[in-house]
Amino acid sequence: MEEKISCDGGHEFKLLLSCPSGLSPSQVSVVFNEAYDRIPHPDSSLEQSISEIWDARVQQSSSLYNGTKFRYGGYNFNVGNDPKQQPHVSLQLGLTDYRTFVGTNLSPIWERYLVQSEELHITLHRAETSNDCIQCQHTSSPLGNGALVETSDKKILVLQRSNKVGEFPGYFVFPGGHPEPQEVGIISHDGFKELNQCRPINSKVSQEMFDSIVREVVEEIGAPADSLSSPIFIGISRRVLNVRPTAFFFIKCNLQSDEIQQLYSSAEDGFESTQLYAVSMSDLENMASKMPGCHRGGFALYKLMEQDANNS
């Protein structure tokens, strides 16, 4: 399912994939392959600007460092012919890094990295790839993650970002970050190209999709891992500004919101945010107007999940 919601500036988003019934880890797999890596732009000046932008950012902030990330390259969704068969999604991931993300997606001229409509029309006739992935083939597009965490008293947890963070300071967001290649021993594609090596690493990367969001929730809100349910994958949204993709999950926490507030004060990554809110659906509707587009998309995915649950 694809849907586009129009808002102002960085609030606009597109739902790349919606799984309102929620998918368990057994229903989500990964194909990790260099075929899903970024394709360099044919304009050499644009490629050169990646280094220039990164070098300028490093000079401004000595704490900035590069690191590998999984690049979003698309998905295959299979509902099967048998009504009893569970739906399954296969995420297609390549490899990128933070430096290239800063130099492409976050570049002041990021739109120049997108494949334009005329070229897109020609390319689509040559490849069995989605319009979206071809349009973004020259961008870094690391796959982020976010969690809709529901407390035992039926509140959803929202963070207010610190004014010191690089993207959308002061905005409301759901807990999240990125799945990390290094967590499963990936530095490059070397060593993972043979068939007998692909299957084990694909399985590890798939597990990292779920492990990483639990890790992010624990680090950002302070709730212990054993208070959290197994994450349920609900889809992928993309912020239209900077074409930034994020995978979203739904997690239940067996603690009440006031207990989590106490834990938040000692959260490992609490410096990334200034406040934790535990809010109702109506409050969340109001807060969504000050969320980055990718997180507004996460809220839209959550509402679709709630609607599906109410209709079943």
Side-chain angles (χ1 to χ4, degrees):
M1 171 189 172
E2 290 193 4
E3 178 182 351
K4 186 173 179 180
I5 310 292
S6 293
C7 308
D8 293 330
H11 300 296
E12 190 175 358
F13 66 87
K14 181 177 182 180
L15 298 188
L16 303 181
L17 172 63
S18 173
C19 307
S21 61
L23 302 184
S24 67
S26 65
Q27 294 172 271
V28 179
S29 62
V30 164
V31 176
F32 173 66
N33 194 289
E34 61 186 347
Y36 305 117
D37 285 4
R38 170 183 175 266
I39 298 174
H41 198 283
D43 185 337
S44 60
S45 65
L46 281 180
E47 288 298 297
Q48 179 62 31
S49 74
I50 296 173
S51 297
E52 293 169 354
I53 290 172
W54 176 254
D55 291 344
R57 285 284 300 273
V58 170
Q59 287 183 354
Q60 293 170 3
S61 175
S62 58
S63 62
L64 202 63
Y65 67 94
N66 194 15
T68 55
K69 301 293 177 188
F70 289 113
R71 181 181 184 275
Y72 175 70
Y75 68 88
N76 282 321
F77 190 71
N78 181 17
V79 292
N81 297 321
D82 185 349
K84 296 180 181 179
Q85 184 179 344
Q86 291 184 321
H88 184 275
V89 66
S90 175
L91 301 177
Q92 299 163 339
L93 302 180
L95 205 59
T96 187
D97 58 28
Y98 188 65
R99 169 186 171 275
T100 312
F101 171 60
V102 169
T104 59
N105 294 79
L106 297 188
S107 168
I109 54 173
W110 64 273
E111 289 174 295
R112 290 179 59 187
Y113 287 93
L114 303 183
V115 175
Q116 301 306 310
S117 56
E118 298 85 359
E119 184 184 351
L120 186 62
H121 179 73
I122 295 170
T123 311
L124 280 170
H125 284 286
R126 299 176 182 166
E128 295 181 3
T129 311
S130 73
N131 181 319
D132 180 81
C133 293
I134 292 176
Q135 184 186 34
C136 300
Q137 66 185 13
H138 302 308
T139 63
S140 171
S141 297
L143 182 64
N145 61 20
L148 281 294
V149 181
E150 183 184 83
T151 64
S152 62
D153 50 343
K154 304 299 180 183
K155 299 294 177 65
I156 297 294
L157 300 180
V158 178
L159 295 165
Q160 185 163 24
R161 287 172 67 80
S162 164
N163 288 321
K164 297 180 180 179
V165 296
E167 289 183 82
F168 289 87
Y171 275 62
F172 297 122
V173 294
F174 300 111
H178 296 85
E180 301 291 354
Q182 58 266 34
E183 287 289 334
V184 290
I186 294 175
I187 300 173
S188 70
H189 287 287
D190 293 342
F192 303 116
K193 296 180 181 180
E194 301 299 326
L195 184 61
N196 64 334
Q197 298 163 327
C198 289
R199 288 174 182 168
I201 200 62
N202 285 344
S203 178
K204 287 182 179 180
V205 176
S206 178
Q207 187 61 46
E208 171 62 7
M209 294 297 112
F210 289 83
D211 290 347
S212 61
I213 192 58
V214 171
R215 203 165 55 237
E216 295 287 357
V217 170
V218 170
E219 292 173 358
E220 292 191 2
I221 70 172
D226 60 8
S227 71
L228 304 174
S229 68
S230 178
I232 298 296
F233 175 73
I234 59 173
I236 299 174
S237 79
R238 192 190 72 187
R239 190 173 77 219
V240 172
L241 178 71
N242 311 124
V243 288
R244 185 139 172 40
T246 305
F248 279 92
F249 299 81
F250 175 69
I251 299 175
K252 287 188 175 183
C253 180
N254 63 20
L255 301 175
Q256 293 201 342
S257 51
D258 57 349
E259 295 176 284
I260 296 174
Q261 286 286 4
Q262 294 176 358
L263 293 167
Y264 170 68
S265 61
S266 56
E268 182 180 339
D269 285 351
F271 63 91
E272 294 181 357
S273 60
T274 56
Q275 194 164 347
L276 173 71
Y277 297 89
V279 300
S280 64
M281 178 69 93
S282 59
D283 289 334
L284 197 49
E285 287 278 6
N286 295 329
M287 297 174 90
S289 64
K290 201 181 178 188
M291 282 185 169
C294 41
H295 285 257
R296 287 196 70 158
F299 180 40
L301 290 168
Y302 172 66
K303 288 193 289 186
L304 290 171
M305 185 196 79
E306 289 285 284
Q307 291 170 14
D308 184 77
N310 292 334
N311 293 335
S312 61

